[in-house]
Amino acid sequence: MNENTNKSILLVDDDLTFLKMVKSWLSDKYTVTSVKSGEQALRYVSKHTPALIMLDHDMPDISGEEVFESLKTDSGTKDIPVIFLTGKDDQETID
């Protein structure tokens, strides 16, 4: 049995090319589930508890910030670590 099978990552991004690329980087060491919207991410975490969520900041349906706020107000998901992802490099987005 692979010792990393319990190390799961939820990858959330609306860019399918980016999802495939990052999933390919991480899949050797982690179980990676990728979804393409904030709504799908919230549905996923209602049934699963990943060890980490990598979350796109800017998405069209529900923003990464809104997903984050929803996760942090739910007792079942509030302790899941979240890393924000963005392709933007402007100071306003980064702060």
Side-chain angles (χ1 to χ4, degrees), residues 8-69:
S8 61
I9 296 174
L10 176 61
L11 181 58
V12 187
D13 200 300
D14 60 318
D15 182 332
L16 296 179
T17 302
F18 183 77
L19 281 177
K20 288 178 185 176
M21 179 180 63
V22 175
K23 187 172 183 174
S24 73
W25 293 343
L26 299 172
S27 290
D28 285 346
K29 297 195 181 228
Y30 305 97
T31 301
V32 180
T33 301
S34 57
V35 297
K36 61 182 182 173
S37 72
E39 182 180 334
Q40 289 177 343
L42 292 173
R43 267 199 316 260
Y44 180 85
V45 298
S46 72
K47 296 179 179 160
H48 306 89
T49 306
L52 173 69
I53 299 173
M54 297 178 74
L55 180 61
D56 183 16
H57 189 269
D58 294 313
M59 292 183 291
D61 64 336
I62 303 172
S63 74
E65 231 173 302
E66 291 170 312
V67 172
F68 180 78
E69 289 301 320

